Amino acid sequence: MKRGILGGTFDPIHVAHLRMAIEAKEAFGLDEVVLEVAHVSPFKLDYEAAPPEARLQMVSLAVEGTPGLVAGRTEIDRPPPSFAVDTLEAHAGHDLVLILGADSLADLPAWREPERVATLARLAACSRPGFPLEEVVRALPELFARRVEPFSAPLLDVSSTDLRRRLREGRSVRYLIPDSVIRFIEETRLYL
Ligand code: ATP
């Protein structure tokens, strides 16, 4: 089984996450992509994210009906913070491809056991607005840079932070977040 792992806080999940998952699945011939929902990201200790189960529920709703995309809860079931190295260990036994936006890739050397991360999975990465992949790769230590396998995805200037702001302000997030997820957010009043 060739399995992609796309980790994130998904607070909330948005179209760029979903597009990335699909593009990577096609580019690397993956059987499935698991969107692993962080319990607490070590890089986001400074803000309180929506409850993990609510974020998982949003990811589950978002992937419904897209073959090969699944929501993962291995990080939620471990005590925080959530380290990618542990998540990859939990999926050992499969051919793993770690899927990263260029901003996350830039942080990789600061992760727990980054060298081990790079041996447990192939490193697939795409650009993000403000983070051209080539520049990010150039700035990485050679050990990681030579392992990066680029894939292309439409450049979508969307972030969860901006979406939370729009929701707080009562602005529309239609077409940036799947309709089923918008309904969940409205029903639970998650970001008010
Ligand atoms: P926030 O704005 O709150 O920091 P985010 O939008 O970056 O959140 P995360 O859940 O932290 O969302 O991201 C999960 C993964 O998706 C990371 O690898 C990140 O680089 C990638 N990603 C998120 N948004 C984009 C985007 N617009 N283009 C490319 N990659 C993205």
Side-chain angles (χ1 to χ4, degrees):
M1 172 85 90
K2 250 177 130 178
R3 181 175 285 175
I5 306 289
L6 169 51
T9 304
F10 303 118
D11 190 24
I13 186 160
H14 54 66
V15 288
H17 296 133
L18 293 160
R19 225 26 261 176
M20 259 176 95
I22 292 170
E23 300 286 351
K25 180 170 179 284
E26 291 181 348
F28 295 92
L30 305 172
D31 297 299
E32 62 178 25
V33 175
V34 184
L35 286 83
E36 281 288 0
V37 179
H39 196 155
V40 175
S41 162
F43 288 97
K44 295 187 179 176
L45 296 171
D46 55 336
Y47 97 107
E48 197 176 336
E53 293 292 347
R55 289 182 283 113
L56 176 67
Q57 178 72 27
M58 291 190 279
V59 174
S60 303
L61 288 167
V63 299
E64 221 172 76
T66 306
L69 263 54
V70 293
R73 59 169 304 129
T74 64
E75 298 192 352
I76 293 183
D77 291 337
R78 282 198 314 267
S82 309
F83 296 111
V85 67
D86 300 327
T87 307
L88 295 174
E89 298 275 14
H91 288 277
H94 299 279
D95 264 352
L96 298 179
V97 176
L98 184 63
I99 303 165
L100 301 162
D103 58 315
S104 300
L105 178 66
D107 289 335
L108 175 67
W111 291 10
R112 174 167 287 192
E113 297 188 62
E115 295 86 359
R116 179 143 179 74
V117 167
T119 58
L120 288 168
R122 289 165 69 184
L123 301 177
C126 66
S127 289
R128 177 173 188 166
F131 297 86
L133 184 60
E134 314 75 66
E135 269 182 35
V136 168
V137 170
R138 256 200 305 278
L140 281 176
E142 171 58 21
L143 163 71
F144 302 112
R146 63 184 152 82
R147 289 178 179 263
V148 175
E149 300 180 59
F151 68 96
S152 47
L155 272 180
L156 298 168
D157 196 359
V158 183
S159 77
S160 297
T161 302
D162 176 61
L163 290 167
R164 290 195 301 276
R165 187 177 313 118
R166 285 174 195 251
L167 287 160
R168 263 198 317 273
E169 294 171 355
R171 293 163 62 202
S172 169
V173 292
R174 188 117 203 254
Y175 304 119
L176 298 174
I177 298 179
D179 286 344
S180 56
V181 178
I182 295 179
R183 275 194 296 277
F184 176 88
I185 291 171
E186 284 170 355
E187 280 162 21
T188 54
R189 303 170 64 82
L190 201 53
Y191 295 109
L192 292 183

